[in-house]
Amino acid sequence: MSEVAAKSMIGAGIERREDDRLLTGHGRYLDDLELPGALSAAFLRSTYAHANVLSIDADAARELPGVVAVFTGEDLAEIQKPLAPKVMHPQLIDYPRLPMPPKAVHYVGEPIAIVVAESRYVAEDALELIEVDYEELPAVGSTAAALRPGGPMAHEGAETNVAVKLSQKAGDADKAIRAAPHTLTGEFFVTRGGGHSMETRAVAARFDLTTEQLIVWDTTQSPHYARQQLSVIYGMAEDDIRIIAPPDVGGGFGPKAQFYGEEVVIPWVAKLLERPVKWVEDRSENFVSAMMERSQTHRIEVAFDDDGRLIAVRDFVEHDQGAYCAGLQVPSITTSTVPGPYHVPNIYVELLACYTNMVPTSSVRGAGRPQAVFAMERMIDRIAEYLDLDPALVRERNLIQADEFPYEVGITFRDGSPLTYDSGDFPALLSGTLERLEYARTRAWQAEQRERGRMIGIGLAVYVEGCGLGPYEGAKIRLTNKGRILVTLAAAGQGQGYETVYAQIASDALGLNMDHIYVTTGDTSKIPFGQGTFASRITATAGPAVFQAAQQMRERLLDTASILLGCHPAEISFIGDRACRDGDVEKSKTLLELAQVANVGKHGITLPKGVQAGLETSSYFAPARAAYASGAHAAVVEVDPDTGGITVLRYIIGHDCGTVINPRLVDGQVIGGFAHGIGNAMYEEAAYDSDAQPQAASYLDYSLVSATEVPSVELFHIQTPSPLNPLGVKGAGEGGTIPAPAAIANAIEDALRPLGARINRAPVTPARIVDAIQDAAVVDQPA
Amino acid sequence: MREPKVNIEAPGHLISVTVNGSTRQHVVDDRLTLADFLRERLRLTGTHLGCEHGVCGACTVIVDGASVRSCLMLAVQVDGCDVETVEGLSGEGELNPLQQAFKKNYALQCGFCTPGFLMTLTAALREGPIKDEAEARDVLSGNICRCTGYTGLVQAVLDASKETQA
Amino acid sequence: MLIENSFQVAADPDQVFDFLQDANNVVACMPGAELVEDLGNDSYRGKVKIKIGPVTAAYTGTATITQRDAGERVAILLAEGRDTKGNGSAKATATMRVSAGADGVGSAVLLHTDLSVSGRLAQFGRSVMADVSNRMVGEMATRVRDTIEAAHQVPTDSGAATADGNPPGAAPATTTAPAARPPAGDDAIKASSIAWSVLAGVFRRLFARLRGRDVSA
Amino acid sequence: MKPGKFVYHAPRELDEALAMLHEYGDEAKVLAGGQSLMPMLNFRLAQIDHLIDINRIEAELTEINWAADTVAIPALVRQRHVERSAQVAERLPILTEALGQVAHPQIRNRGTICGSLAHADPAAELPSVMSVLDATFTVASARGTRTIPVADFFQFHLTTAMEPDELLLRVRINLPGPGTLSVFREFATRRGDFALAGVAAQCQLDTAGMVTACRIAAAGVSSTPQRLEQVEDMLIGQRLADDVLRDAESLARDAVDPTGDIHASAAYRKRLTGVLLRRALADVRTQREVSHA
């Protein structure tokens, strides 16, 4: 234990507190919980993408020994209430997403019955005995099919598959495009992809008959949101529902931030059966029921002058909302991400969110941003090609400059505030990236290699990421009766190292060594209000909340100690766990002693004069608006034109997330996000066929990247602190992901430039590269 | 013409297996997987199930010295075998050199895949040193991590290799 | 998924068309398939078992001849079936057209099948399913030809497979499907499908009782 | 993803296993390494009533048997064991090379050579390698044993010439003579994945560098491994010059008729087969240059 109070833990790359238990097999994930007498649940899921459910015969399943109960949607009619979209729009045509719909199914994987049994093995046996009589209906397997005139409707009786049209406007893009000296159009498609946390979703619940309280363990990223939803659906008081996100959750990446039917059904069934019930989604289910994202088509037009300066951007987007609208956060973020780090005087973005008969979509690491960046950054490269300019130069000419902040883009962000970049230095990010790449030399080397027949390409992508969203996040700090500082967060972690990071922040604000501070998260009974971990928001919301609550706690501790030591608070400082007068350990009170006085007290005895009872503080931090992180990526790739094989030779990331609390953890977030981005760029594709049947429902068909696919990354940070919070922090979890598909696709198209092959789709796979080369060859042939 | 054969009565199988050095005897059902046996029956919950089809590697354990997917073996198959799981890696509460290398290099975030990586690497490092980054990536390629991007893992392998071969 | 298949039969087109009009005949030629019940109105209840190595799927359902035109010798069959373990379904629309064979000798049969599969088999290896469907149709075509030719005892020059001494079912000479497998495999499919010859519901309950005696794991 | 119910059997004697197979036939499956069967059971794609685990059979099924000019790999030899065998690397380098590309070490630690062959996945590495090695398969049943040449063994996706009551006892390979050169080339999306296409080639070259014998097989482009006989015929009597390689490439491309899927179009797989063959033959040429250097 250090004898000197830490000076600054913010910025220190210290080891994580979580690691010892995780490295020894003593993590506490949901499926590890001891729940004596717990039953196992399994869901029967629709095998049709769109069908009416005429009848369900579960008699045989109920008779199977070991089966405790089988419920269909109709059996649980009382909880068949719509799971509301998280982000709404007044014009949204909404179809109720029911926990377990009794009448009709709208995607393969939608739950229609639940078996509760003594073991998961038996529960799965019983699923095979349930007979469902479906009336198959035509299904919508893509946004193109959704928008095809006269095509099938994802919901019976609908007049359109368009859920809502969102648009953004600044200036007059139509007029500017008409008048511009040059315009280019492009059409880009990004396919569906998933979160694929290594731990799947899971819910366990127990109804306490004595207190009539429902305890729900849930791998959710948003425990308070889940509680609020359950309270509405069950008609129970929030205080009678306790949601606990287990101490260890095996990754989230977005899908676990959503609210699902299973989360409604499991606790209710536990209540009905008066037995604990546990459901752990298996990977098969995860493939067809956890929300996905990404699928968008962009038809983008850019107008620019002779120097490549942007005059206008007009982008028409088709967004795959899936079978139901779980929220409009993703399409909304897409529309505001298009202009990126550039001066764009005239902007028009129009997005059609379309219903399809596929798993509903919602945020997955990156959340609507990678698609917008893909469209915009690809067009910047096309402008450079058209004008025969260097793509780095075109970017430089268009970047918003460091002295222009706060910068108003002229459109609106998804948090409802005007899209206003708070801080940043985009030119420094780009030039830093180019410097590390030794850009001029690399371009020369590329040309030289091209002469020798090697297809080398360089791709750049610059982006701005809205993050740190509101409305607020909270923290409570208490001096425990054992003399330790307990920081309680509403947010639930999924492996980001909250126990370490928030102790670091609290340590700085308290002026106390981290050894005396510990952190708990994700339990609605420990802190009344919270929002959840999503949109790279926690550091920028919970961070300041912890910081402020810790500052208050420091004052309280100093006040208490100064009264007991008979001095002014300013004379107190901490040495170890001692509050010392004038730095003298002989004249000090330990934290335990302070707790004894102010918290424990002496039974019936008046507190010392001036001492305030109860050393507890709390703070809820509500940012004025979103913060904006930013970054620049550069990729150098080699393409084998024969096989389409792609080798990433170098990858450089310049990243700015404001103040860095723990550089090691931020690096981990960025590089981890980058691996996901590499997956989106070259591997991951949640393919569906035209009947909306999933085609990639196992890891044999859905390619997650392993260590051999992820290249080494050269990462650097610049720090432009956000003025929107006292720590100056922004989000870090998605910046590695967002521009990676764009940078890789730009690099591949650059490599193929002598062949004129076009890359218009992510992921870029070897087969698509070779097919694109063939297409280019056909086009080039004289008529 | 034959009636379909179905399980008339499954009496279960008595198995005796050494797990992390101690011998355990259990009656197991025919179809119980090794992973579920370790997790549910022995309550060694450090072995995780990530995909149950042999791709993600989270359930990797060591059986008779070889790293294997415990989701692709039956409990009854390890009768008489020596099984090692993540819980057996460090005695006396001290992290072993491999575990320390993981911690030092930030080779884990959510920790769910970590036990599988540790067991894969434990078996691999017993066979000899892992010399360079390419070899490290190859050894790691049978396990999936969704959080770290593998950079820390690669460094941890190289560090641990140096440490254990020293 | 579209499967196109054509084959020559050394028999008169009307005879061939008549043969194909009888569902019993068709089903007898389809590997792993059997009729369970005649529902009247050209509608039948039946089952099909598919076995690809360890992967098995059994479908029960109905087949209906939805359209027939004796003049044009065209018939359309709609078959819909559900996996007996609830793991999905299959639906096929098969259009059969019988015309005079090349040079006016025998008949040419054109089979156009539109198959859609849902559920687990659809999710695992659509391309394998395409090969399997092709193979099934190809095998059926071979058997149809062999059966008709055997019945009409016409020595054939188009039915090379039966003429060259290969066992029936092997190497159909003129179908576009991949080579069918020798009789061992066919028998395996058949044996299994016979074993499944109990009405689905009854079977399931029996299954449940037998399997359910021991609850463990 | 828990397997359906089955009765597990662990016979100690081969005869016992064969008797069980005889009794249960189609309702039984043999469990060797289980690395293909177990995922299918977990997905409930495969549902069986009897699982016959041959790992406890005390007969000599775990050792590679070397003879003067043949080698036999019995049913329980793990892939990892073969991969690491110095003798295999020396006498059958193509097998070592191909095994290094089969999934991942954890899978190869359990997976057996014979199990992979009996599983007969046409996209897998080993069936095409056995095709060029002209392997013979010894299958046993209560009715006796018989041998099946590789050309007849693989019948369709996951389907072999084995009857339901038969077990693949061993695969026997004639050891290539001196001067035989071989290559296995595949292209997969990720390390350890099933290949989008693969090519196994084995050639004998005379002192002048002329091809005197050769066998070539493609993986992943048909419902079985596909011998490319047209290419073999063309190569005989030729030197492996660049134009010959290009001819071989285009012949191979035209010889295969793969199915397109979500991973790659049929056209791509055709091209890839040609490219892989050209590169395999170039490797053969390089091997020869090295050995004659």
Side-chain angles (χ1 to χ4, degrees):
Chain A
M1 188 189 297
S2 163
E3 282 305 304
V4 189
K7 274 301 167 228
S8 184
M9 291 313 294
I10 293 178
I14 57 159
E15 290 183 343
R16 301 200 320 165
R17 299 177 148 190
E18 292 85 346
D19 288 358
D20 283 20
R21 67 171 186 269
L22 299 177
L23 286 163
T24 52
H26 297 104
R28 291 157 293 161
Y29 301 90
L30 195 142
D31 196 24
D32 305 339
L33 296 174
E34 283 278 11
L35 266 178
L39 298 168
S40 276
F43 285 92
L44 183 71
R45 297 179 184 279
S46 170
T47 57
Y48 283 102
H50 191 193
N52 286 323
V53 177
L54 303 178
S55 67
I56 302 178
D57 178 357
D59 289 352
R62 289 193 176 98
E63 283 168 25
L64 186 70
V67 170
V68 174
V70 180
F71 300 101
T72 65
E74 212 143 273
D75 297 335
L76 302 177
E78 65 277 20
I79 55 164
Q80 301 308 333
K81 297 175 191 167
L83 313 178
K86 261 192 161 176
V87 174
M88 284 288 294
H89 188 278
Q91 266 86 53
L92 174 72
I93 300 173
D94 191 21
Y95 295 95
R97 178 166 64 105
L98 304 179
M100 217 160 66
K103 299 275 181 230
V105 288
H106 293 92
Y107 63 92
V108 172
E110 189 162 17
I112 52 174
I114 179 175
V115 173
V116 186
E118 298 292 346
S119 84
R120 174 81 189 196
Y121 287 75
V122 174
E124 289 187 26
D125 292 346
L127 291 183
E128 298 186 337
L129 301 175
I130 300 174
E131 249 185 285
V132 185
D133 197 5
Y134 294 99
E135 177 197 8
E136 189 182 3
L137 298 168
V140 180
S142 65
T143 53
L147 295 172
R148 194 173 297 137
M153 290 293 138
H155 289 264
E156 233 187 339
E159 283 170 12
T160 173
N161 286 315
V162 175
V164 71
K165 183 170 100 176
L166 305 176
S167 60
Q168 294 271 11
K169 193 173 189 308
D172 187 338
D174 290 351
K175 197 171 144 196
I177 285 170
R178 275 196 304 273
H182 311 284
T183 62
L184 280 174
T185 59
E187 181 171 332
F188 302 102
F189 180 59
V190 177
T191 59
R192 269 185 175 238
H196 294 279
S197 53
M198 283 294 101
E199 182 203 31
T200 51
R201 298 181 294 137
V203 184
R206 191 176 69 205
F207 185 65
D208 188 324
L209 285 165
T210 319
T211 59
E212 300 210 319
Q213 276 195 330
L214 198 49
I215 304 172
V216 182
W217 292 267
D218 190 341
T219 55
T220 180
Q221 294 172 226
S222 306
H224 288 82
Y225 182 77
R227 181 182 63 174
Q228 183 249 330
Q229 292 289 304
L230 287 185
S231 142
V232 170
I233 291 171
Y234 296 163
M236 286 172 72
E238 284 199 0
D239 284 348
D240 289 336
I241 303 170
R242 178 181 178 192
I243 311 272
I244 304 168
D248 296 306
V249 172
F253 314 120
K256 286 180 182 168
Q258 311 311 321
F259 189 68
Y260 296 85
E262 293 92 341
E263 291 170 274
V264 178
V265 174
I266 295 294
W268 192 253
V269 164
K271 186 170 183 272
L272 289 180
L273 297 175
E274 298 178 0
R275 296 262 311 259
V277 175
K278 180 160 83 175
W279 166 71
V280 179
E281 179 187 58
D282 68 26
R283 190 57 68 180
S284 258
E285 297 181 275
N286 182 265
F287 268 103
V288 296
S289 63
M291 288 190 203
M292 306 178 182
E293 206 219 290
R294 298 283 195 269
S295 180
Q296 283 182 356
T297 303
H298 287 249
R299 290 186 186 82
I300 184 169
E301 184 164 14
V302 288
F304 48 96
D305 66 15
D306 297 344
D307 298 327
R309 286 197 171 78
L310 288 163
I311 298 167
V313 173
R314 190 168 57 189
D315 189 11
F316 293 95
V317 187
E318 291 168 15
H319 171 81
D320 174 6
Q321 196 66 42
Y324 303 98
C325 182
L328 291 170
Q329 55 273 35
V330 169
S332 159
I333 289 172
T334 295
T335 61
S336 60
T337 304
V338 173
Y342 304 117
H343 292 117
V344 189
N346 300 286
I347 303 167
Y348 183 72
V349 183
E350 181 180 298
L351 179 144
L352 299 179
C354 303
Y355 287 118
T356 59
N357 292 112
M358 299 183 274
V359 181
T361 60
S362 186
S363 316
V364 171
R365 198 171 202 167
R369 301 174 187 89
Q371 303 93 314
V373 171
F374 193 77
M376 189 68 191
E377 288 299 300
R378 304 306 319 287
M379 288 315 288
I380 298 285
D381 264 33
R382 299 267 170 99
I383 293 171
E385 182 191 62
Y386 177 84
L387 294 173
D388 199 19
L389 292 172
D390 187 289
L393 182 67
V394 174
R395 287 183 171 82
E396 277 163 12
R397 284 180 179 167
N398 283 289
L399 285 178
I400 294 159
Q401 298 298 301
D403 58 6
E404 294 184 75
F405 294 94
Y407 181 88
E408 290 204 20
V409 180
I411 57 178
T412 309
F413 189 51
R414 98 125 168 108
D415 65 347
S417 63
L419 187 65
T420 308
Y421 299 156
D422 54 336
S423 66
D425 190 344
F426 309 149
L429 280 169
L430 180 59
S431 63
T433 303
L434 296 174
E435 253 166 53
R436 281 163 182 81
L437 184 60
E438 294 180 90
Y439 187 65
R441 270 186 60 187
T442 305
R443 277 284 178 210
W445 175 78
Q446 174 195 26
E448 189 188 300
Q449 294 299 315
R450 201 170 265 174
E451 290 296 309
R452 297 184 189 172
R454 282 179 77 187
M455 313 214 95
I456 308 285
I458 301 169
L460 303 171
V462 192
Y463 71 96
V464 182
E465 174 200 356
C467 56
L469 273 63
Y472 68 85
E473 204 54 71
K476 264 178 31 175
I477 297 191
R478 186 168 90 225
L479 178 64
T480 68
N481 291 351
K482 303 259 188 204
R484 300 189 71 200
I485 298 287
L486 171 65
V487 178
T488 304
L489 294 180
Q494 296 82 41
Q496 299 93 332
Y498 286 0
E499 289 171 40
T500 308
V501 172
Y502 293 99
Q504 282 181 272
I505 294 175
S507 165
D508 266 17
L510 283 158
L512 253 180
N513 191 288
M514 268 181 72
D515 292 340
H516 310 295
I517 303 166
Y518 68 111
V519 177
T520 69
T521 62
D523 183 342
T524 59
S525 73
K526 303 273 176 71
I527 180 164
F529 312 113
Q531 293 289 321
T533 302
F534 57 89
S536 298
R537 63 184 293 276
I538 289 302
T539 315
T541 52
V546 168
F547 192 77
Q548 290 171 349
Q551 283 179 320
Q552 293 165 28
M553 176 57 80
R554 178 179 169 83
E555 275 175 39
R556 296 284 317 278
L557 292 173
L558 297 187
D559 282 351
T560 310
S562 66
I563 290 162
L564 299 178
L565 294 168
C567 64
H568 191 268
E571 294 166 62
I572 304 284
S573 62
F574 287 105
I575 298 176
D577 66 343
R578 289 173 180 277
C580 304
R581 181 179 174 179
D582 299 329
D584 182 355
V585 288
E586 297 300 318
K587 292 181 278 182
S588 68
K589 293 285 174 191
T590 63
L591 291 176
L592 179 61
E593 287 170 318
L594 298 181
Q596 288 291 341
V597 171
N599 292 352
V600 181
K602 289 180 181 155
H603 204 60
I605 310 292
T606 309
L607 278 177
K609 189 166 187 295
V611 170
Q612 275 189 297
L615 288 166
E616 185 179 40
T617 61
S618 68
S619 169
Y620 287 86
F621 181 77
R625 55 176 194 272
Y628 293 85
S630 53
H633 286 207
V636 183
V637 306
E638 176 163 14
V639 178
D640 176 343
D642 283 348
T643 62
I646 310 155
T647 311
V648 180
L649 302 172
R650 281 188 78 185
Y651 203 98
I652 295 158
I653 297 179
H655 190 252
D656 179 2
C657 61
T659 307
V660 170
I661 305 286
N662 183 331
R664 303 295 297 272
L665 298 192
V666 167
D667 287 2
Q669 284 294 316
V670 175
I671 295 171
F674 165 67
H676 197 142
I678 285 290
N680 291 150
M682 299 192 274
Y683 300 97
E684 295 181 33
E685 184 163 4
Y688 279 76
D689 71 6
S690 56
D691 295 327
Q693 288 283 327
Q695 298 296 288
S698 79
Y699 288 139
L700 304 173
D701 287 314
Y702 189 93
S703 303
L704 288 185
V705 292
S706 78
T708 39
E709 284 75 51
V710 182
S712 310
V713 179
E714 300 154 63
L715 170 63
F716 72 95
H717 296 277
I718 67 169
Q719 300 192 26
T720 61
S722 173
L724 300 174
N725 65 67
L727 296 175
V729 294
K730 302 174 178 183
E734 301 174 273
T737 312
I738 292 165
I744 292 285
N746 277 344
I748 291 170
E749 197 168 284
D750 188 45
L752 300 175
R753 208 167 307 281
L755 302 176
R758 287 300 193 206
I759 301 298
N760 295 326
R761 185 186 165 108
V764 193
T765 61
R768 292 216 183 91
I769 287 175
V770 173
D771 291 347
I773 293 172
Q774 295 307 310
D775 290 349
V778 171
V779 170
D780 280 355
Q781 270 168 14
Chain B
M1 180 157 146
R2 202 158 42 163
E3 283 300 305
K5 287 274 181 194
V6 292
N7 185 3
I8 304 303
E9 192 69 38
H13 304 263
L14 175 67
I15 62 166
S16 172
V17 53
T18 305
V19 180
N20 299 331
S22 64
T23 302
R24 317 285 290 261
Q25 294 202 324
H26 279 265
V27 174
V28 297
D29 186 53
D30 300 54
R31 59 173 165 166
L32 184 70
T33 64
L34 173 57
D36 283 338
F37 171 70
L38 294 170
R39 290 184 50 81
E40 307 293 331
R41 301 292 287 278
L42 303 187
R43 295 298 298 160
L44 293 171
T45 55
T47 299
H48 297 146
L49 285 171
C51 77
E52 295 183 89
H53 56 285
V55 180
C56 80
C59 69
T60 304
V61 299
I62 297 175
V63 175
D64 290 342
S67 58
V68 301
R69 314 287 207 209
S70 63
C71 72
L72 300 186
M73 270 188 91
L74 297 170
V76 61
Q77 288 187 283
V78 297
D79 184 20
C81 295
D82 185 46
V83 177
E84 297 166 71
T85 71
V86 66
E87 287 90 348
L89 285 184
S90 50
E92 313 293 312
E94 277 283 299
L95 297 181
N96 77 12
L98 178 63
Q99 291 166 317
Q100 283 173 25
F102 266 57
K103 184 171 178 178
K104 185 175 137 252
N105 290 291
Y106 293 77
L108 66 156
Q109 284 178 26
C110 82
F112 195 80
C113 66
T114 307
F117 275 101
L118 288 169
M119 300 318 286
T120 296
L121 293 170
T122 298
L125 287 169
R126 282 179 193 161
E127 291 170 8
I130 293 163
K131 295 178 291 294
D132 53 24
E133 179 178 336
E135 196 181 343
R137 288 187 181 272
D138 198 48
V139 169
L140 292 166
S141 69
N143 293 65
I144 302 289
C145 166
R146 193 59 160 169
C147 296
T148 63
Y150 303 103
T151 303
L153 280 157
V154 169
Q155 200 49 52
V157 175
L158 296 174
D159 281 9
S161 179
K162 265 186 230 140
E163 182 74 21
T164 49
Q165 311 299 325
Chain C
M1 175 164 31
L2 290 176
I3 306 155
E4 296 284 358
N5 194 290
S6 63
F7 58 99
Q8 304 280 327
V9 185
D12 177 69
D14 288 322
Q15 286 174 338
V16 174
F17 188 70
D18 284 350
F19 176 88
L20 291 172
Q21 288 314 290
D22 186 335
N24 286 297
N25 289 339
V26 176
V27 168
C29 291
M30 192 169 173
E34 70 184 284
L35 278 189
V36 175
E37 192 184 353
D38 184 343
L39 303 170
N41 291 330
D42 277 348
S43 208
Y44 303 88
R45 192 168 164 75
K47 55 186 69 235
V48 178
K49 182 170 180 180
I50 297 174
K51 182 165 166 23
I52 318 150
V55 180
T56 52
Y59 293 96
T60 62
T62 55
T64 307
I65 297 172
T66 56
Q67 199 183 315
R68 84 170 87 219
D69 182 337
E72 292 288 311
R73 290 191 296 265
V74 174
I76 298 176
L77 177 91
L78 174 71
E80 287 177 284
R82 267 210 316 265
D83 178 86
T84 50
K85 296 196 170 187
N87 286 331
S89 64
K91 183 170 154 184
T93 310
T95 307
M96 299 182 293
R97 181 184 297 274
V98 182
S99 53
D103 306 326
V105 180
S107 313
V109 180
L110 192 73
L111 258 180
H112 171 98
T113 311
D114 188 355
L115 177 73
S116 67
V117 182
S118 79
R120 208 160 279 174
L121 273 189
Q123 291 163 19
F124 287 86
R126 163 110 343 182
S127 62
V128 175
M129 281 307 292
D131 285 356
V132 169
S133 313
N134 253 317
R135 183 187 161 95
M136 281 181 72
V137 175
E139 235 170 285
M140 189 179 87
T142 307
R143 289 186 186 190
V144 164
R145 188 191 61 210
D146 293 347
T147 311
I148 297 175
E149 288 178 357
H152 295 275
Q153 292 181 337
V154 183
T156 169
D157 52 6
S158 64
T162 48
D164 68 5
N166 279 348
T174 52
T175 68
T176 55
R181 44 173 304 169
D186 292 349
D187 292 344
I189 291 173
K190 260 191 181 161
S192 317
S193 62
I194 291 165
W196 286 83
S197 67
V198 199
L199 281 175
V202 176
F203 174 73
R204 255 189 227 106
R205 282 174 191 87
L206 171 77
F207 199 64
R209 276 201 300 279
L210 289 173
R211 281 208 165 181
R213 284 193 191 164
D214 176 59
V215 179
S216 41
Chain D
M1 289 188 62
K2 307 300 181 190
K5 272 204 167 182
F6 52 75
V7 181
Y8 172 86
H9 305 271
R12 301 253 162 193
E13 302 291 337
L14 181 61
D15 287 349
E16 205 185 336
L18 297 179
M20 287 173 178
L21 274 173
H22 186 72
E23 185 181 351
Y24 304 125
D26 211 20
E27 285 133 22
K29 263 284 163 191
V30 172
L31 178 68
Q35 302 301 290
S36 300
L37 181 59
M38 283 297 297
M40 288 186 162
L41 290 171
N42 287 356
F43 277 122
R44 297 196 181 212
L45 275 170
Q47 298 224 25
I48 48 166
D49 292 321
H50 296 274
L51 187 66
I52 301 171
D53 181 357
I54 58 171
N55 286 282
R56 308 262 170 197
I57 292 177
E58 283 157 359
E60 286 175 1
L61 294 179
T62 56
E63 291 301 320
I64 305 172
N65 300 319
W66 295 92
D69 48 6
T70 65
V71 61
I73 303 176
L76 288 175
V77 177
R78 311 274 170 205
Q79 292 163 7
R80 196 82 164 135
H81 178 66
V82 177
E83 182 191 356
R84 288 172 176 188
S85 156
Q87 214 169 347
V88 170
E90 194 198 324
R91 306 292 303 272
L92 285 169
I94 189 172
L95 192 52
T96 311
E97 192 183 4
L99 281 168
Q101 301 176 57
V102 175
H104 298 282
Q106 300 99 314
I107 298 290
R108 303 199 291 272
N109 278 336
R110 286 297 302 170
T112 62
I113 299 284
C114 284
S116 170
L117 294 170
H119 185 63
D121 190 317
E125 290 80 1
L126 295 181
S128 61
V129 170
M130 292 303 157
S131 286
V132 301
L133 290 173
D134 202 15
T136 51
F137 296 76
T138 303
V139 302
S141 72
R143 297 172 288 125
T145 60
R146 61 180 179 128
T147 58
I148 306 172
V150 67
D152 299 335
F153 187 75
F154 299 107
Q155 300 261 320
F156 191 61
H157 292 277
L158 315 186
T159 307
T160 69
M162 287 195 293
E163 299 289 339
D165 67 341
E166 286 179 322
L167 176 141
L168 177 55
L169 204 55
R170 72 181 77 88
V171 58
R172 189 183 299 279
I173 300 160
N174 292 321
L175 292 169
T180 306
L181 302 169
S182 63
V183 172
F184 180 83
R185 275 264 191 177
E186 70 173 24
F187 187 81
T189 311
R190 278 176 314 171
R191 175 93 186 80
D193 273 354
F194 277 123
L196 296 174
V199 166
Q202 179 167 290
C203 301
Q204 271 182 333
L205 273 59
D206 67 13
T207 48
M210 200 88 89
V211 177
T212 56
C214 92
R215 296 174 71 92
I216 294 165
V221 289
S222 172
S223 61
T224 62
Q226 186 182 349
R227 274 281 295 280
L228 302 179
E229 279 152 0
Q230 305 92 316
V231 185
E232 296 170 2
D233 292 346
M234 185 278 281
L235 287 171
I236 305 278
Q238 303 277 344
R239 281 191 189 79
L240 295 176
D242 285 350
D243 58 334
V244 173
L245 265 51
R246 275 194 298 274
D247 289 348
E249 174 179 7
S250 92
L251 267 181
R253 188 166 59 211
D254 295 342
V256 297
D257 183 20
T259 314
D261 62 14
I262 58 167
H263 304 293
S265 62
Y268 172 78
R269 284 199 160 92
K270 282 170 82 81
R271 297 188 66 82
L272 183 60
T273 305
V275 167
L276 292 172
L277 176 66
R278 168 164 52 80
R279 292 183 177 181
L281 293 174
D283 281 355
V284 167
R285 190 171 62 187
T286 308
Q287 281 180 24
R288 182 171 182 281
E289 281 161 8
V290 170
S291 68
H292 282 64

